[in-house]
């Protein structure tokens, strides 16, 4: 005859010592060790964040909140901006290990930062933004002009808006400059960002719009050179037809995108050079040729800064 | 709370005519002849205290305007709809403005101004009826305003005439082209109306034509934005969260009253408190949201529309997709307009049914 199944009370008496023992072990060994491990991990994480974000990150964010307290008309959201800056700073400080030169050249108040555009995806803009927020005193938020078609992309448009990026039309730029904001312009546009590798560091033609705005609003222009972005993705050509068919500005062929695990940009070393502010007078409605000459001056200054950076660097990756 | 707002409105109103008079005074001091002067004085007196005709007075905005205006000057109302429990001193004509009989009102009264609120927005109406009412009706009104020399015409257009577009600047000025009809045929009536008023502005320089383009009017009014925000569960578009501008209905009434001042003419954008992200507005109102992908939302609303289960036409989805905000600095500088309701009050006004 088989044993009767134990009644619940019997089961409880049997299990009680086991439970007590397990609790003892947990209380004596497991929990303190887990706490220790957690504490160590946390310390390590904090140390890492301080190394990456800098010890005054919170103070910088507080300054940002104060600046946009009443609500930004373009929809900048300090919380999203803080999160994004936290992520971008990992790239800025750890991944690309950006070297920044001449940040003291950026004047107070309204300013147009004009930079060369490169690297297939606009990481250069992110890094300039991170540098202006994390390295510049006081911290400044970069407002960049983005392509109109970005507005039609779900989520991306909300993200860009929350980060303080605005649609690239002159009216928006004018308003931001009147509010004393720092604006980042890539006058090469898509011509610059999707350059093939063979044309790296040769600046494409500049658009003229930024110069008209600078003259009209009497805003100083700070030329910025980004060195290191061209090598992050090797572009062997562009598919113009595909880009037009899909309705995107360019369709670069980057071989590494087709190799699993190599979608991230190569960890080149970024070098930023901020040149001395340039001021231009004259008539904003001048002929294209007159404006073009001034634009060419800016273009050559940036090209010279790029060339200087290229001459100074000894290796691409360190 | 509400009563307080209204009474403070009465206080500021007392000062406004004086400012208008001063502006007028400056204009007159250009060394004109005596006869001219007496004529302007008569006209000025007429513009300041003469009767104001309001078309579409039975709409919620019209009634609010009438209730404020009738205390200080005669008000003549025109509408096809009845006007229940109207104040006794409002002269009301229940007629179609396209009828010949409506002309008598212009002929008899020395009208100081005509405020055109009779724009039909009912998206459910037949489009031919719509068009005929809006365009022929307004053309008739323009004809009579011109023939009987009504010194002022105020049209309440809308910032919708600019249209929500991905390449819109964040704040549209009064001078940008009116592209609102491009993707949304129901808006074409309004754009056409706005254009008619603009050409009237140039054709009749002796008549002060004012076009007001307010952003989304919120309150007890039954317009698309208010209805949208009144929904229990508010559908939004997944991945889109544009900045929006809203304006309280009483701020629009205030803007109309400022537009009635002698000397005021031109096109004015009217915006309320600071712009806000749509998601933030819905959070402030405590609404549950239902994010839908754009394609599905568009097709779904199209179907519901055909089944007559919604009053939102699918192209209106662009208003919760792209930005369509206006720069109201001209109204602030030239009209002296200043929104009195803050963001929260303006948004909450859609739930306010006490003062219908």
């Amino acid at each position: 005859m088989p044993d009767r199944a134990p009644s619940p009370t019997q089961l409880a008496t049997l299990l009680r010592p086991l439970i007590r023992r397990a609790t003892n072990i947990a209380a004596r060994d497991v929990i303190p060790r887990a706490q220790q491990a957690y504490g160590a991990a946390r310390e390590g994480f904090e140390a890492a964040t301080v190394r990456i974000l800098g010890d005054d990150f919170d103070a910088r964010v507080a300054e940002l909140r104060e600046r946009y307290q009443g609500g930004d008309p373009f929809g900048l959201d300090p919380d999203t901006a803080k999160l994004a800056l936290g992520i971008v700073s990992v790239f800025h400080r750890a991944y690309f290990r950006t070297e920044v030169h001449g940040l003291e050249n950026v004047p107070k108040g309204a300013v147009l930062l004009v930079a060369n555009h490169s690297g297939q995806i606009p990481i250069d803009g992110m890094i300039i933004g991170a540098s202006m927020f994390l390295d510049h005193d006081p911290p400044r938020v970069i407002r960049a002009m983005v392509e109109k078609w970005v507005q039609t992309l779900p989520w991306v448009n909300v993200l860009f808006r929350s980060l303080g990026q605005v649609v690239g039309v002159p009216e928006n730029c004018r308003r931001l400059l009147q509010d004393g904001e720092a604006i980042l312009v890539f006058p090469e546009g898509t011509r610059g960002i999707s350059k093939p590798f063979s044309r790296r560091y040769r600046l494409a033609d500049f658009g003229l719009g930024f110069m008209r705005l600078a003259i009209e609003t009497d805003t100083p222009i700070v030329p910025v050179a980004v060195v290191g972005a061209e090598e992050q993705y090797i572009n062997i050509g562009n598919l113009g037809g595909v880009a037009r068919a899909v309705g995107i500005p360019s369709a670069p062929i980057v071989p590494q995108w087709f190799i699993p695990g190599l979608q991230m940009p190569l960890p080149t070393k970024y070098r930023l050079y901020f040149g001395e502010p340039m001021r231009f007078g004259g008539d904003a409605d001048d002929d294209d040729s007159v404006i073009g000459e001034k634009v060419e001056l800016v273009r050559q200054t940036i090209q010279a800064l790029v060339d200087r950076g290229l001459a100074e660097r000894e290796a691409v990756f360190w | 709370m509400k009563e307080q707002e209204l009474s403070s409105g009465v206080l500021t109103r007392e000062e406004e005519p004086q400012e208008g008079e001063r502006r007028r005074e400056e204009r007159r001091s250009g060394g004109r002849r005596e006869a001219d002067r007496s004529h302007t004085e008569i006209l000025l007196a007429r513009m300041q205290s003469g009767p104001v005709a309001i078309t579409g007075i039975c709409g919620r905005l019209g009634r609010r305007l009438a209730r404020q205006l009738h205390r200080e000057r005669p008000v003549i109302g025109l509408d096809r709809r009845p006007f229940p429990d109207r104040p006794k001193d409002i002269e009301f004509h229940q007629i179609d403005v396209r009828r010949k009989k409506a002309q008598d009102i212009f002929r008899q009264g020395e009208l100081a101004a005509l405020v055109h609120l009779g724009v039909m927005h009912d998206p459910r109406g037949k489009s031919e009826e719509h068009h005929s009412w809006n365009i022929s009706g307004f053309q008739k009104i323009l004809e009579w305003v011109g023939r009987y020399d009504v010194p002022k015409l105020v049209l309440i257009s809308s910032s919708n005439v600019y249209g929500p577009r991905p390449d819109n600047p964040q704040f549209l000025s009064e001078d940008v082209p009116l592209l609102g009809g491009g993707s949304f045929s129901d808006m074409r009536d309004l754009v056409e109306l706005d254009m008619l008023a603009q050409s009237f502005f140039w054709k009749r320089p002796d008549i002060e034509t004012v076009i007001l383009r307010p952003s989304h009017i919120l309150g007890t009014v039954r317009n698309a934005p208010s209805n949208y925000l009144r929904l229990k569960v508010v559908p939004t578009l997944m991945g889109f969260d544009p900045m929006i501008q809203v304006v309280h209905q009483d701020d629009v009434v205030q803007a109309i009253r400022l537009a009635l001042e002698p000397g005021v003419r031109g096109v004015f954008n009217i915006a309320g408190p600071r712009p806000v992200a749509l998601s933030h507005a819905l959070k402030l109102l405590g609404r549950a949201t239902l994010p839908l992908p754009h394609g599905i939302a568009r097709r779904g609303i199209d179907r519901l529309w055909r089944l007559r289960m919604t009053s939102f036409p699918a192209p209106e989805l662009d208003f919760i997709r792209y930005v369509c905000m206006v720069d109201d600095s001209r109204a602030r500088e030239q009209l002296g307009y200043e929104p009195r309701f803050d963001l929260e009050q303006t948004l909450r006004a859609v739930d306010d049914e006490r003062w219908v």
Side-chain angles (χ1 to χ4, degrees):
Chain A
M1 210 170 126
D3 273 349
R4 269 176 55 230
S7 72
T9 28
Q10 280 172 319
L11 203 64
T13 13
L14 276 171
L15 285 179
R16 195 168 293 138
L18 282 175
I19 292 169
R20 192 176 301 134
R21 210 150 141 211
T23 338
N24 280 347
I25 291 172
R28 225 181 313 118
D29 299 319
V30 180
I31 291 176
R33 275 187 205 173
Q35 274 173 343
Q36 245 175 10
Y38 175 72
R42 215 187 131 135
E43 266 168 42
F45 182 74
E46 265 167 15
T49 27
V50 166
R51 199 163 66 83
I52 285 166
L53 298 176
D55 43 11
D56 57 348
F57 185 67
D58 287 331
R60 283 172 184 271
V61 171
E63 257 180 83
L64 166 87
R65 276 188 212 284
E66 198 178 318
R67 173 100 170 74
Y68 297 104
Q69 210 171 24
D72 175 55
F74 288 88
L76 182 136
D77 174 37
D79 292 314
T80 318
K82 181 187 173 183
L83 186 70
L85 282 162
I87 295 166
V88 171
S89 64
V90 176
F91 284 90
H92 175 57
R93 294 257 161 87
Y95 196 84
F96 294 118
R97 296 145 290 131
T98 317
E99 234 175 54
V100 188
H101 303 271
L103 205 55
E104 68 282 355
N105 285 330
V106 180
K108 277 203 189 91
V111 61
L112 273 169
L113 302 179
V114 180
N116 61 318
H117 209 10
S118 53
Q120 315 312 322
I121 57 170
I123 298 178
D124 46 359
M126 277 166 39
I127 296 297
I128 295 175
S131 160
M132 286 290 282
F133 185 79
L134 296 166
D135 304 329
H136 188 264
D137 268 315
R140 295 198 65 172
V141 176
I142 287 291
R143 316 296 297 255
M145 304 274 123
V146 299
E147 282 275 341
K148 289 158 195 165
W149 69 279
V150 166
Q151 292 305 305
T152 63
L153 304 175
W155 290 289
V156 180
N157 75 85
V158 179
L159 178 71
F160 275 43
R161 198 248 303 140
S162 313
L163 297 181
Q165 314 304 295
V166 304
V167 182
V169 290
E171 292 89 338
N172 284 348
C173 195
R174 208 170 287 137
R175 181 175 280 265
L176 285 170
L177 288 175
Q178 277 161 6
D179 293 347
E181 299 275 3
I183 292 181
L184 176 61
V185 193
F186 295 113
E188 291 172 276
T190 44
R191 289 188 302 277
I193 192 166
S194 46
K195 277 195 292 275
F197 195 63
S198 56
R199 301 218 11 96
R200 63 188 185 278
Y201 298 121
R202 300 268 69 87
L203 268 57
D205 284 341
F206 273 26
L208 305 183
F210 79 93
M211 181 57 76
R212 292 189 193 280
L213 275 165
I215 295 173
E216 187 191 318
T217 56
D218 192 26
T219 308
I221 289 174
V222 170
V224 183
V226 184
V227 176
E230 293 275 21
E231 291 90 356
Q232 68 190 11
Y233 287 121
I234 313 291
N235 173 3
I236 56 169
N238 288 301
L239 298 171
V242 173
R244 272 191 296 279
V246 187
I248 53 174
S250 66
I253 313 169
V254 180
Q256 77 187 78
W257 283 348
F258 302 101
I259 305 167
L262 279 184
Q263 275 68 35
M264 286 288 279
L266 301 176
T268 54
K269 190 174 176 69
Y270 264 59
R271 290 163 171 88
L272 299 185
Y273 293 86
F274 291 83
E276 276 172 25
M278 307 165 82
R279 275 180 185 278
F280 292 89
D283 185 4
D285 297 322
D286 253 337
D287 231 29
D288 272 4
S289 58
V290 182
I291 298 287
E293 273 171 39
K294 293 171 180 163
V295 169
E296 190 53 28
L297 206 64
V298 177
R299 199 182 84 96
Q300 278 165 7
T301 313
I302 297 171
Q303 183 72 66
L305 279 173
V306 168
D307 293 342
R308 182 186 132 200
L310 286 174
E312 274 177 16
R313 82 169 172 180
E314 283 157 4
V316 174
F317 290 98
W318 59 85
Chain B
M1 184 78 191
K2 191 107 220 175
E3 295 306 318
Q4 238 172 0
E5 298 291 353
L6 288 170
S7 62
S8 75
V10 175
L11 282 180
T12 47
R13 210 180 305 145
E14 233 81 90
E15 299 151 12
E16 278 150 11
Q18 289 173 359
E19 202 178 309
E21 199 167 24
R22 184 151 32 84
R23 229 177 292 150
R24 196 77 185 182
E25 208 85 56
E26 280 164 16
R27 265 179 51 175
R28 276 192 301 164
S29 60
R32 293 196 189 170
R33 294 211 319 269
E34 276 304 304
D36 235 22
R37 191 159 176 171
S38 64
H39 179 256
T40 7
E41 258 160 26
I42 293 164
L43 191 67
L44 186 62
R46 175 174 160 191
M47 286 183 83
Q48 273 171 349
S49 54
V52 174
I54 303 173
T55 58
I57 196 169
C58 300
R60 300 199 181 218
L61 197 62
R63 274 188 268 169
R64 287 185 96 84
L65 175 66
R67 272 172 216 276
Q68 283 200 23
L69 221 50
H70 82 99
R71 288 185 220 138
E72 50 201 70
R73 60 200 295 180
V75 171
I76 302 171
L78 289 105
D79 206 310
R80 282 193 298 185
R81 299 164 284 189
F83 193 164
D85 55 81
R86 77 187 142 87
K88 286 287 159 280
D89 53 349
I90 293 181
E91 185 187 331
F92 178 66
H93 303 270
Q94 192 176 348
I95 48 169
D96 188 326
V97 287
R98 289 170 294 183
R99 293 278 196 77
K100 263 255 152 30
K101 228 182 113 203
Q103 195 178 352
D104 296 343
I105 297 156
F106 290 82
R107 191 184 301 146
Q108 283 159 10
E110 287 254 288
L111 290 184
L114 182 119
V115 179
H116 186 58
L117 289 168
V119 186
M120 186 158 68
H121 288 298
D122 174 24
R124 272 285 168 213
K126 270 200 213 121
S127 72
E128 307 93 69
E129 164 64 8
H130 232 206
H131 193 74
S132 153
W133 168 263
N134 280 339
I135 306 302
S136 339
F138 189 54
Q139 251 164 350
K140 274 273 173 323
I141 287 169
L142 288 182
E143 195 187 318
W144 295 329
V145 165
R147 187 178 301 164
Y148 299 106
D149 291 316
V150 179
K152 183 174 287 279
L153 171 77
V154 181
L155 169 71
I156 314 305
S157 179
S158 162
S159 67
N160 294 352
V161 293
Y162 303 117
R165 298 162 59 82
D167 52 351
N168 268 350
Q170 198 77 356
F171 297 98
L172 296 150
S173 75
E174 286 87 350
D175 318 316
V176 302
L178 310 181
L179 300 169
S183 62
F184 189 15
S185 56
D186 284 0
M187 207 62 80
R188 277 179 211 152
D189 276 7
L190 194 55
V191 173
E192 207 169 317
L193 231 64
D194 197 297
M195 303 277 207
L196 277 175
Q198 282 185 51
S199 63
F200 189 75
F201 175 89
W202 294 111
K203 236 186 292 181
R204 291 298 301 263
D206 54 323
I207 295 174
E208 291 173 356
T209 305
V210 182
I211 303 172
L212 298 180
R213 294 185 188 145
S215 52
H216 300 316
I217 303 173
L218 297 189
T220 52
V221 288
R222 296 258 174 258
N223 58 4
S226 294
N227 289 344
Y228 173 75
L229 290 175
R230 261 193 288 265
L231 294 173
K232 289 279 173 298
V233 178
V234 184
T236 57
L237 292 177
M238 219 180 243
F240 290 97
D241 182 20
M243 299 291 285
I244 55 164
Q245 259 174 344
V246 291
V247 60
H248 194 280
Q249 51 189 7
D250 287 338
D251 279 333
V252 178
V253 169
Q254 179 211 353
I256 298 172
R257 294 165 51 84
L258 290 169
L260 287 173
E261 291 290 311
V264 170
R265 53 192 300 159
V267 189
F268 298 96
N269 289 332
I270 303 293
R274 68 185 169 88
V276 63
L278 176 64
S279 61
H280 188 66
L282 292 172
K283 209 180 283 167
L284 271 176
L285 277 173
R287 295 283 194 271
T289 59
L290 175 67
L292 298 167
H294 178 250
I296 291 175
R298 196 181 173 104
R299 248 163 280 159
I301 287 186
D302 249 349
R303 184 142 313 165
L304 286 176
W305 173 260
R306 255 176 276 134
L307 293 171
R308 306 195 142 261
M309 284 170 69
T310 175
S311 60
F312 296 100
E316 266 186 14
L317 280 178
D318 276 355
F319 283 105
I320 54 171
R321 193 171 182 216
Y322 300 131
V323 60
C324 178
M325 299 202 293
V326 293
D327 179 356
D328 67 341
S329 49
R330 193 188 283 178
R332 283 167 188 266
E333 281 157 25
Q334 294 182 20
L335 282 185
Y337 163 79
E338 187 82 47
R340 281 198 283 251
F341 294 85
D342 69 15
L343 185 64
E344 199 150 338
Q345 289 168 323
T346 308
L347 287 167
R348 296 232 179 273
V350 297
D351 291 330
D352 192 8
E353 285 286 351
R354 285 177 305 147
W355 210 82
V356 181

